[in-house]
Amino acid sequence: MNARAIEKTELNKILETASIYAVLDGGKKRVISTHPTPVPAEAKRRLNRTEECLALLFSHGISKVEYFPPFSDEIDRAKKQSTLSCAELLKVGNLLRSARIAYTSIHAINDETITDMKTLAEKIYFDFSLEEDIQTKILSDTEVSDHASDKLYSLRREIRLLNERIRNRLSEYLTGSEGKYLQDGIVTMRDNRYVLPVRAEYKRNIKGFIHDRSASGATFFIEPEEVLEMNNELRTLTIDEKEEVERILNELSKRVGMLGDNLLADVSLLEEIDCAYALAEYAYKLSCVKPEINGEGKIAIEMGRHPLIDQAKVVPVSLSLGEHYRFLLISGPNTGGKTVTLKMVGLFCMMAACGLFVPAKRAVLSTFDEIYCDVGDAQSIEENLSTFSSHITNIIHIVKNANEKSLVLIDELGGGTDPEEGQALAKAIVADLLDKGCAGVVTTHYTALKEFAFATDGIENACMEFDSDTLQPLYVIKIGLPGSSNALGISRRLGLDESILQNALSFLSTDAQKFEHIVRSAEESRVQAEQALAETNRLKTEWQEKLRVLETERTKLQKEKDKLYSQAKAEARRVVNERAASAEELLAEMEEIFAQATVSESDLIKARTLKNRLINQAYTSDTEDAPQPQYRQASETDLKIGATVFVKNINQSGVIQSVRLPKKEAEILCGNIRVRSKFSELFLLNGDKKAQTTDKKKIDVKKTLAPKPAPSLEINVIGKTVAEAAFDVENFLDAAVVSNLEEVRIVHGVGTGKLRAGIHDFLKKYPRVAEFRLGKYGEGETGVTIVKIK
């Protein structure tokens, strides 16, 4: 791709922006130097790689390439057996770490769509052992760790101990009688040996080796004889340490040299991966989409946004070419967006050929062998070229080289010269380019060129919309109709004198005025029609939504109706089945009674009871109103000591023993059991005006026949043995069965628990017991057993 096209479409600026997201210096250079490919298959491969990187970074959340400083000749020197410095080895360690992380992070992803990046990562080499040795043995750019080797650790330990001994000995000079001969109370070093600063007049009082003298001559730096040997030993140890450090660095450098070719390949691979990640992050930041690629010159951009215009201000543009026509002729007012649209077409094609996604809702783009641009003023003073000459020189180059694999972008074709000649030349150039079969976008203000587009196959008019009321461009392209330049209208809006405008209007030819009038009228009619269509579509969408909601509600109601019907049928079947099963059970019990050899009076009573239950079941409906309650709620004025009340939570009557108004509860004696109950659980018989009391003054004694005793709901077996209690309980339960009672109470007390356990064992064996449980709070708790009868 020629450099002029890259510059004029501003692809270079896009690549520079994308390079910001690269981590490595080499990765940034790769992004900037990315060149569009003319091969559709290669463009698709690049775009697929960008798509994979988007998934890796923003779906799977892997990290980008770890940074390592750029290399110059360090690896090459290591290959030649040179010893690398600490800083250089740390760079190699960072490279190895980056390679390892890149390899493991990509291969850890279990995604079958990630293929190209995994293939690229397969080529990465890493040596964790060497990486770890470098990271642990080298502490900084200048320091090797004490633990790099056992010998180095031993030498440095000896050096530290010897330094301490020398300092301790010299400190004795500072604090002893020799201290008066010293210039300062400090120990210093000369030539890497410890010395004392001695005054010049006392230099003979300190025996030792003179290493240096101060500039003033007032101080001599003397190494005492006593530390001479220790300093010599320290010097020897320091030399040994340096040799050991060199040995360690040399050993690591040899290992690096042996891997030199692999490491150089890693640098290239990691830069390539970094470049791919940068393109993916650029696509993510600008909300770009992956374009569809072809090699037939077909272009279709939906809601495309120029990436160099502020995303908050840019107006999306949609256009297409290459399907029914290969050239698009864009006309319309100045500053209406013609040039931006023209450059965007070329830019999108080159971005896709570089592997970059494009900022659009959808895009179909083509690769081209070459993209030719003539955009902007290329006037050259040095070459003595005018504006027209510079343009025509570039167009001559385009006409000579363009073919069916080329995209041509020309802004203001034929401008900069006589309008009549310019129009004629423009038509001839477009006709020649159409004959060559290339695709392209041309902008113009020429009426003759708009008419040419109407009458010629392979080229289509398009216009940038313009608000005729406000005389403001709308930056929206419409294909199929030419646009009016609106030069006079824009001049009027900007404040040009009206008399000048009227004079200019009179100078226009009749045909030109008619054509411009027709174009403006057609454009206004089109805008009105589009507004009416948009309103129609809005109403259509609104009613379709309402119909959808109504249909949804209708479906929902039908489902509810079907559901209720099914539930009713199921409930009816359940009731019938239950009634039938219950009737069969009653009949079976009656048959068992009469099947006995002798039938007692109790058996007859039981059979009669079963018959009544069967008759009641047959004539009683589940939908009948529930019987009215026997009791009414007792008020506080009704609750007095000695009053008889019904305690609902234990289903027993009792006599009030005490009343606690603050807590709204009363203590009631029910048989032999005292219970505490809330006022809300206390009731009176219906029809009673107040609770019955045991007040002797209000007792009326009447002589009546003894009524049939009501069935007892409770039996008290406290103090009896298990055998006695079982006998009484059995009789009690038999009577409860005959009386059709559903629930009774057995009071056995707490005691040792043996009586309770014996009764529970009996209840488990009694055939008419459905279930039993201990009493709850307020029912007697563990001193009472509640029994439900079948």
Side-chain angles (χ1 to χ4, degrees), residues 329-332 450 454 460-464 477-484 518-519 521-527 530:
L329 181 69
I330 304 177
S331 54
K450 302 174 192 176
F454 269 124
E460 184 64 74
N461 270 303
C463 66
M464 304 304 297
I477 190 171
K478 290 296 179 182
I479 297 175
L481 285 176
S484 174
I518 290 171
V519 170
S521 298
E523 190 169 351
E524 290 174 1
S525 299
R526 179 182 57 77
V527 170
E530 287 185 351

PDB file of all heavy atoms in Angstrom, residues 329-332 450 454 460-464 477-484 518-519 521-527 530:
ATOM      1  N   LEU A 329     -20.772   8.768  -6.079  1.00  0.00           N
ATOM      2  CA  LEU A 329     -20.527  10.200  -6.282  1.00  0.00           C
ATOM      3  C   LEU A 329     -21.255  10.962  -5.181  1.00  0.00           C
ATOM      4  O   LEU A 329     -22.484  11.008  -5.159  1.00  0.00           O
ATOM      5  CB  LEU A 329     -21.026  10.643  -7.657  1.00  0.00           C
ATOM      6  CG  LEU A 329     -20.792  12.119  -7.996  1.00  0.00           C
ATOM      7  CD1 LEU A 329     -19.311  12.403  -8.182  1.00  0.00           C
ATOM      8  CD2 LEU A 329     -21.572  12.530  -9.244  1.00  0.00           C
ATOM      9  N   ILE A 330     -20.514  11.540  -4.252  1.00  0.00           N
ATOM     10  CA  ILE A 330     -21.114  12.221  -3.100  1.00  0.00           C
ATOM     11  C   ILE A 330     -21.107  13.717  -3.344  1.00  0.00           C
ATOM     12  O   ILE A 330     -20.058  14.322  -3.629  1.00  0.00           O
ATOM     13  CB  ILE A 330     -20.349  11.909  -1.807  1.00  0.00           C
ATOM     14  CG1 ILE A 330     -20.267  10.400  -1.578  1.00  0.00           C
ATOM     15  CG2 ILE A 330     -21.017  12.576  -0.609  1.00  0.00           C
ATOM     16  CD1 ILE A 330     -19.462  10.008  -0.362  1.00  0.00           C
ATOM     17  N   SER A 331     -22.262  14.340  -3.230  1.00  0.00           N
ATOM     18  CA  SER A 331     -22.393  15.790  -3.359  1.00  0.00           C
ATOM     19  C   SER A 331     -23.120  16.319  -2.137  1.00  0.00           C
ATOM     20  O   SER A 331     -23.676  15.560  -1.341  1.00  0.00           O
ATOM     21  CB  SER A 331     -23.139  16.146  -4.643  1.00  0.00           C
ATOM     22  OG  SER A 331     -24.379  15.462  -4.698  1.00  0.00           O
ATOM     23  N   GLY A 332     -23.147  17.644  -2.042  1.00  0.00           N
ATOM     24  CA  GLY A 332     -23.795  18.250  -0.890  1.00  0.00           C
ATOM     25  C   GLY A 332     -23.055  19.496  -0.443  1.00  0.00           C
ATOM     26  O   GLY A 332     -22.070  19.919  -1.067  1.00  0.00           O
ATOM     27  N   LYS A 450     -23.121  15.270 -11.526  1.00  0.00           N
ATOM     28  CA  LYS A 450     -24.309  14.655 -10.923  1.00  0.00           C
ATOM     29  C   LYS A 450     -25.216  14.095 -12.009  1.00  0.00           C
ATOM     30  O   LYS A 450     -25.771  12.988 -11.872  1.00  0.00           O
ATOM     31  CB  LYS A 450     -25.071  15.681 -10.071  1.00  0.00           C
ATOM     32  CG  LYS A 450     -24.264  16.310  -8.941  1.00  0.00           C
ATOM     33  CD  LYS A 450     -25.065  17.405  -8.263  1.00  0.00           C
ATOM     34  CE  LYS A 450     -24.200  18.251  -7.324  1.00  0.00           C
ATOM     35  NZ  LYS A 450     -24.940  19.372  -6.736  1.00  0.00           N
ATOM     36  N   PHE A 454     -26.440  10.124 -13.001  1.00  0.00           N
ATOM     37  CA  PHE A 454     -27.801   9.665 -13.269  1.00  0.00           C
ATOM     38  C   PHE A 454     -27.871   8.779 -14.511  1.00  0.00           C
ATOM     39  O   PHE A 454     -28.599   7.795 -14.549  1.00  0.00           O
ATOM     40  CB  PHE A 454     -28.736  10.879 -13.479  1.00  0.00           C
ATOM     41  CG  PHE A 454     -29.392  11.354 -12.215  1.00  0.00           C
ATOM     42  CD1 PHE A 454     -29.254  12.664 -11.796  1.00  0.00           C
ATOM     43  CD2 PHE A 454     -30.172  10.495 -11.463  1.00  0.00           C
ATOM     44  CE1 PHE A 454     -29.867  13.099 -10.630  1.00  0.00           C
ATOM     45  CE2 PHE A 454     -30.786  10.922 -10.301  1.00  0.00           C
ATOM     46  CZ  PHE A 454     -30.631  12.227  -9.879  1.00  0.00           C
ATOM     47  N   GLU A 460     -23.294   5.757  -8.743  1.00  0.00           N
ATOM     48  CA  GLU A 460     -24.537   6.143  -8.075  1.00  0.00           C
ATOM     49  C   GLU A 460     -24.346   7.464  -7.357  1.00  0.00           C
ATOM     50  O   GLU A 460     -23.288   7.733  -6.770  1.00  0.00           O
ATOM     51  CB  GLU A 460     -24.928   5.066  -7.064  1.00  0.00           C
ATOM     52  CG  GLU A 460     -26.265   5.297  -6.367  1.00  0.00           C
ATOM     53  CD  GLU A 460     -27.447   5.270  -7.327  1.00  0.00           C
ATOM     54  OE1 GLU A 460     -27.820   4.182  -7.779  1.00  0.00           O
ATOM     55  OE2 GLU A 460     -27.955   6.367  -7.640  1.00  0.00           O
ATOM     56  N   ASN A 461     -25.375   8.328  -7.451  1.00  0.00           N
ATOM     57  CA  ASN A 461     -25.361   9.583  -6.718  1.00  0.00           C
ATOM     58  C   ASN A 461     -25.610   9.333  -5.231  1.00  0.00           C
ATOM     59  O   ASN A 461     -26.308   8.399  -4.845  1.00  0.00           O
ATOM     60  CB  ASN A 461     -26.450  10.516  -7.254  1.00  0.00           C
ATOM     61  CG  ASN A 461     -25.965  11.391  -8.378  1.00  0.00           C
ATOM     62  OD1 ASN A 461     -24.992  12.134  -8.211  1.00  0.00           O
ATOM     63  ND2 ASN A 461     -26.617  11.301  -9.547  1.00  0.00           N
ATOM     64  N   ALA A 462     -25.044  10.201  -4.412  1.00  0.00           N
ATOM     65  CA  ALA A 462     -25.314  10.208  -2.975  1.00  0.00           C
ATOM     66  C   ALA A 462     -25.181  11.641  -2.495  1.00  0.00           C
ATOM     67  O   ALA A 462     -24.455  12.447  -3.093  1.00  0.00           O
ATOM     68  CB  ALA A 462     -24.347   9.303  -2.227  1.00  0.00           C
ATOM     69  N   CYS A 463     -25.890  11.970  -1.445  1.00  0.00           N
ATOM     70  CA  CYS A 463     -25.834  13.346  -0.945  1.00  0.00           C
ATOM     71  C   CYS A 463     -25.710  13.351   0.569  1.00  0.00           C
ATOM     72  O   CYS A 463     -26.167  12.434   1.250  1.00  0.00           O
ATOM     73  CB  CYS A 463     -27.074  14.127  -1.374  1.00  0.00           C
ATOM     74  SG  CYS A 463     -28.622  13.551  -0.640  1.00  0.00           S
ATOM     75  N   MET A 464     -25.074  14.399   1.064  1.00  0.00           N
ATOM     76  CA  MET A 464     -25.018  14.632   2.501  1.00  0.00           C
ATOM     77  C   MET A 464     -26.217  15.501   2.861  1.00  0.00           C
ATOM     78  O   MET A 464     -26.417  16.567   2.278  1.00  0.00           O
ATOM     79  CB  MET A 464     -23.719  15.330   2.902  1.00  0.00           C
ATOM     80  CG  MET A 464     -22.462  14.594   2.474  1.00  0.00           C
ATOM     81  SD  MET A 464     -22.355  12.895   3.064  1.00  0.00           S
ATOM     82  CE  MET A 464     -22.314  13.132   4.830  1.00  0.00           C
ATOM     83  N   ILE A 477     -25.590  10.634   5.163  1.00  0.00           N
ATOM     84  CA  ILE A 477     -25.517  10.375   3.725  1.00  0.00           C
ATOM     85  C   ILE A 477     -26.753   9.619   3.268  1.00  0.00           C
ATOM     86  O   ILE A 477     -27.239   8.721   3.945  1.00  0.00           O
ATOM     87  CB  ILE A 477     -24.226   9.591   3.376  1.00  0.00           C
ATOM     88  CG1 ILE A 477     -24.037   9.540   1.861  1.00  0.00           C
ATOM     89  CG2 ILE A 477     -24.241   8.194   3.968  1.00  0.00           C
ATOM     90  CD1 ILE A 477     -22.684   8.983   1.443  1.00  0.00           C
ATOM     91  N   LYS A 478     -27.272  10.031   2.118  1.00  0.00           N
ATOM     92  CA  LYS A 478     -28.401   9.356   1.492  1.00  0.00           C
ATOM     93  C   LYS A 478     -28.000   8.978   0.076  1.00  0.00           C
ATOM     94  O   LYS A 478     -27.548   9.829  -0.700  1.00  0.00           O
ATOM     95  CB  LYS A 478     -29.635  10.258   1.467  1.00  0.00           C
ATOM     96  CG  LYS A 478     -30.244  10.496   2.835  1.00  0.00           C
ATOM     97  CD  LYS A 478     -30.777   9.206   3.430  1.00  0.00           C
ATOM     98  CE  LYS A 478     -31.362   9.435   4.818  1.00  0.00           C
ATOM     99  NZ  LYS A 478     -31.826   8.180   5.423  1.00  0.00           N
ATOM    100  N   ILE A 479     -28.181   7.706  -0.266  1.00  0.00           N
ATOM    101  CA  ILE A 479     -27.765   7.191  -1.567  1.00  0.00           C
ATOM    102  C   ILE A 479     -28.959   7.167  -2.512  1.00  0.00           C
ATOM    103  O   ILE A 479     -30.058   6.776  -2.132  1.00  0.00           O
ATOM    104  CB  ILE A 479     -27.158   5.785  -1.424  1.00  0.00           C
ATOM    105  CG1 ILE A 479     -25.886   5.858  -0.568  1.00  0.00           C
ATOM    106  CG2 ILE A 479     -26.844   5.166  -2.775  1.00  0.00           C
ATOM    107  CD1 ILE A 479     -25.267   4.523  -0.265  1.00  0.00           C
ATOM    108  N   GLY A 480     -28.725   7.624  -3.759  1.00  0.00           N
ATOM    109  CA  GLY A 480     -29.765   7.591  -4.787  1.00  0.00           C
ATOM    110  C   GLY A 480     -30.081   8.943  -5.364  1.00  0.00           C
ATOM    111  O   GLY A 480     -30.562   9.055  -6.484  1.00  0.00           O
ATOM    112  N   LEU A 481     -29.829  10.013  -4.611  1.00  0.00           N
ATOM    113  CA  LEU A 481     -30.113  11.361  -5.082  1.00  0.00           C
ATOM    114  C   LEU A 481     -28.887  12.247  -4.885  1.00  0.00           C
ATOM    115  O   LEU A 481     -28.147  12.082  -3.912  1.00  0.00           O
ATOM    116  CB  LEU A 481     -31.294  11.963  -4.310  1.00  0.00           C
ATOM    117  CG  LEU A 481     -32.694  11.456  -4.652  1.00  0.00           C
ATOM    118  CD1 LEU A 481     -33.702  12.097  -3.727  1.00  0.00           C
ATOM    119  CD2 LEU A 481     -33.047  11.761  -6.104  1.00  0.00           C
ATOM    120  N   PRO A 482     -28.671  13.206  -5.802  1.00  0.00           N
ATOM    121  CA  PRO A 482     -27.573  14.158  -5.609  1.00  0.00           C
ATOM    122  C   PRO A 482     -27.957  15.193  -4.573  1.00  0.00           C
ATOM    123  O   PRO A 482     -29.140  15.391  -4.266  1.00  0.00           O
ATOM    124  CB  PRO A 482     -27.406  14.766  -6.997  1.00  0.00           C
ATOM    125  CG  PRO A 482     -28.777  14.720  -7.593  1.00  0.00           C
ATOM    126  CD  PRO A 482     -29.388  13.444  -7.087  1.00  0.00           C
ATOM    127  N   GLY A 483     -26.981  15.891  -4.075  1.00  0.00           N
ATOM    128  CA  GLY A 483     -27.233  16.931  -3.100  1.00  0.00           C
ATOM    129  C   GLY A 483     -26.950  18.305  -3.659  1.00  0.00           C
ATOM    130  O   GLY A 483     -26.141  18.472  -4.571  1.00  0.00           O
ATOM    131  N   SER A 484     -27.628  19.265  -3.106  1.00  0.00           N
ATOM    132  CA  SER A 484     -27.408  20.650  -3.515  1.00  0.00           C
ATOM    133  C   SER A 484     -26.275  21.244  -2.693  1.00  0.00           C
ATOM    134  O   SER A 484     -26.161  20.982  -1.496  1.00  0.00           O
ATOM    135  CB  SER A 484     -28.692  21.450  -3.314  1.00  0.00           C
ATOM    136  OG  SER A 484     -28.474  22.819  -3.577  1.00  0.00           O
ATOM    137  N   ILE A 518     -34.776  21.713  -8.712  1.00  0.00           N
ATOM    138  CA  ILE A 518     -35.308  20.344  -8.737  1.00  0.00           C
ATOM    139  C   ILE A 518     -34.644  19.495  -7.660  1.00  0.00           C
ATOM    140  O   ILE A 518     -35.293  18.714  -6.950  1.00  0.00           O
ATOM    141  CB  ILE A 518     -35.092  19.725 -10.134  1.00  0.00           C
ATOM    142  CG1 ILE A 518     -36.006  20.415 -11.151  1.00  0.00           C
ATOM    143  CG2 ILE A 518     -35.381  18.231 -10.116  1.00  0.00           C
ATOM    144  CD1 ILE A 518     -35.712  20.033 -12.588  1.00  0.00           C
ATOM    145  N   VAL A 519     -33.314  19.624  -7.543  1.00  0.00           N
ATOM    146  CA  VAL A 519     -32.586  18.842  -6.551  1.00  0.00           C
ATOM    147  C   VAL A 519     -33.044  19.184  -5.139  1.00  0.00           C
ATOM    148  O   VAL A 519     -33.293  18.311  -4.309  1.00  0.00           O
ATOM    149  CB  VAL A 519     -31.069  19.064  -6.704  1.00  0.00           C
ATOM    150  CG1 VAL A 519     -30.326  18.452  -5.514  1.00  0.00           C
ATOM    151  CG2 VAL A 519     -30.568  18.451  -8.003  1.00  0.00           C
ATOM    152  N   SER A 521     -35.939  20.569  -4.257  1.00  0.00           N
ATOM    153  CA  SER A 521     -37.318  20.123  -4.061  1.00  0.00           C
ATOM    154  C   SER A 521     -37.382  18.622  -3.824  1.00  0.00           C
ATOM    155  O   SER A 521     -38.109  18.146  -2.947  1.00  0.00           O
ATOM    156  CB  SER A 521     -38.170  20.501  -5.290  1.00  0.00           C
ATOM    157  OG  SER A 521     -38.198  21.896  -5.460  1.00  0.00           O
ATOM    158  N   ALA A 522     -36.607  17.888  -4.631  1.00  0.00           N
ATOM    159  CA  ALA A 522     -36.584  16.432  -4.455  1.00  0.00           C
ATOM    160  C   ALA A 522     -36.051  16.062  -3.080  1.00  0.00           C
ATOM    161  O   ALA A 522     -36.555  15.135  -2.428  1.00  0.00           O
ATOM    162  CB  ALA A 522     -35.744  15.797  -5.547  1.00  0.00           C
ATOM    163  N   GLU A 523     -35.022  16.783  -2.646  1.00  0.00           N
ATOM    164  CA  GLU A 523     -34.429  16.474  -1.341  1.00  0.00           C
ATOM    165  C   GLU A 523     -35.410  16.779  -0.219  1.00  0.00           C
ATOM    166  O   GLU A 523     -35.572  16.010   0.719  1.00  0.00           O
ATOM    167  CB  GLU A 523     -33.149  17.285  -1.168  1.00  0.00           C
ATOM    168  CG  GLU A 523     -32.331  16.873   0.035  1.00  0.00           C
ATOM    169  CD  GLU A 523     -30.945  17.503   0.048  1.00  0.00           C
ATOM    170  OE1 GLU A 523     -30.566  18.107  -0.953  1.00  0.00           O
ATOM    171  OE2 GLU A 523     -30.275  17.369   1.075  1.00  0.00           O
ATOM    172  N   GLU A 524     -36.131  17.944  -0.340  1.00  0.00           N
ATOM    173  CA  GLU A 524     -37.108  18.284   0.685  1.00  0.00           C
ATOM    174  C   GLU A 524     -38.250  17.271   0.704  1.00  0.00           C
ATOM    175  O   GLU A 524     -38.699  16.841   1.786  1.00  0.00           O
ATOM    176  CB  GLU A 524     -37.640  19.695   0.439  1.00  0.00           C
ATOM    177  CG  GLU A 524     -36.618  20.793   0.697  1.00  0.00           C
ATOM    178  CD  GLU A 524     -37.129  22.175   0.303  1.00  0.00           C
ATOM    179  OE1 GLU A 524     -38.304  22.241  -0.144  1.00  0.00           O
ATOM    180  OE2 GLU A 524     -36.379  23.149   0.427  1.00  0.00           O
ATOM    181  N   SER A 525     -38.695  16.859  -0.494  1.00  0.00           N
ATOM    182  CA  SER A 525     -39.769  15.857  -0.556  1.00  0.00           C
ATOM    183  C   SER A 525     -39.313  14.547   0.040  1.00  0.00           C
ATOM    184  O   SER A 525     -40.060  13.857   0.749  1.00  0.00           O
ATOM    185  CB  SER A 525     -40.206  15.660  -2.013  1.00  0.00           C
ATOM    186  OG  SER A 525     -40.708  16.863  -2.562  1.00  0.00           O
ATOM    187  N   ARG A 526     -38.073  14.165  -0.253  1.00  0.00           N
ATOM    188  CA  ARG A 526     -37.542  12.925   0.294  1.00  0.00           C
ATOM    189  C   ARG A 526     -37.475  12.976   1.811  1.00  0.00           C
ATOM    190  O   ARG A 526     -37.840  12.025   2.499  1.00  0.00           O
ATOM    191  CB  ARG A 526     -36.154  12.639  -0.269  1.00  0.00           C
ATOM    192  CG  ARG A 526     -35.523  11.375   0.283  1.00  0.00           C
ATOM    193  CD  ARG A 526     -34.132  11.180  -0.270  1.00  0.00           C
ATOM    194  NE  ARG A 526     -33.286  12.319   0.006  1.00  0.00           N
ATOM    195  CZ  ARG A 526     -32.732  12.580   1.190  1.00  0.00           C
ATOM    196  NH1 ARG A 526     -32.972  11.772   2.208  1.00  0.00           N
ATOM    197  NH2 ARG A 526     -31.989  13.645   1.360  1.00  0.00           N
ATOM    198  N   VAL A 527     -37.010  14.131   2.337  1.00  0.00           N
ATOM    199  CA  VAL A 527     -36.916  14.271   3.793  1.00  0.00           C
ATOM    200  C   VAL A 527     -38.300  14.168   4.429  1.00  0.00           C
ATOM    201  O   VAL A 527     -38.501  13.488   5.442  1.00  0.00           O
ATOM    202  CB  VAL A 527     -36.236  15.599   4.158  1.00  0.00           C
ATOM    203  CG1 VAL A 527     -36.351  15.858   5.662  1.00  0.00           C
ATOM    204  CG2 VAL A 527     -34.779  15.597   3.729  1.00  0.00           C
ATOM    205  N   GLU A 530     -39.478  10.625   4.285  1.00  0.00           N
ATOM    206  CA  GLU A 530     -38.787   9.797   5.280  1.00  0.00           C
ATOM    207  C   GLU A 530     -39.316  10.069   6.672  1.00  0.00           C
ATOM    208  O   GLU A 530     -39.435   9.160   7.490  1.00  0.00           O
ATOM    209  CB  GLU A 530     -37.282  10.053   5.217  1.00  0.00           C
ATOM    210  CG  GLU A 530     -36.624   9.452   3.995  1.00  0.00           C
ATOM    211  CD  GLU A 530     -35.120   9.620   4.032  1.00  0.00           C
ATOM    212  OE1 GLU A 530     -34.634  10.348   4.920  1.00  0.00           O
ATOM    213  OE2 GLU A 530     -34.440   9.028   3.177  1.00  0.00           O
TER     214      GLU A 530
END
